Amino acid sequence: SRGINTEYGELPTDQHWWRYTIMIENVGDVAVQLRERTWCIYSENDHKETITGTGVVGQEPIIPVGGCFQYSSMINLRSPTGHMWGTYLFEREDKKLCNASIPPSLLESKAQTV
């Protein structure tokens, strides 16, 4: 089957795709560097997937106190509904590690009309 061409390359048409944007704000008292992310993705057909990787979108940004980092990415499911949640692992400038929770987000495709 042919895919859909996007800025992310060709996407298969037998899957449901979502583009999301996240802004991370450092409200702490020391600079942090985003080292790792873990996403838990659950689809309505009871498929659960865990994705862990270094940084986000190929970067391990350093976020100063009061600073922000924003990025966009994509997620796909084979079903029209699901949700995702996760954690970020940060390294503080004093080399201590800390986690930040990513709250659940609903992934829901609306019915298309022809």
Side-chain angles (χ1 to χ4, degrees), residues 3 5 8 11 13 26 29 36 40 43 54 56 67 70 74 85:
N5 288 314
Y8 298 97
L11 306 178
T13 56
N26 182 354
D29 56 0
E36 185 176 276
C40 297
S43 61
T54 303
V56 291
Q70 181 173 304
M74 293 188 73
W85 68 95

Side-chain angles (χ1 to χ4, degrees), residues 58-102:
Q59 299 180 54
E60 292 181 72
I62 296 172
I63 308 170
V65 174
C68 296
F69 176 77
Q70 181 173 304
Y71 73 96
S72 296
S73 191
M74 293 188 73
I75 185 81
N76 69 304
L77 299 176
R78 292 197 183 275
S79 66
T81 305
H83 54 277
M84 58 191 267
W85 68 95
T87 58
Y88 292 120
L89 175 66
F90 292 96
E91 182 178 349
R92 297 165 34 116
E93 62 186 12
D94 60 10
K95 303 300 181 195
K96 292 180 182 178
L97 299 177
C98 58
N99 285 303
S101 296
I102 306 166

Side-chain angles (χ1 to χ4, degrees), residues 21-35:
T21 299
I22 293 182
M23 180 183 289
I24 302 167
E25 181 179 7
N26 182 354
V27 296
D29 56 0
V30 296
V32 294
Q33 184 168 16
L34 198 163
R35 292 296 190 180

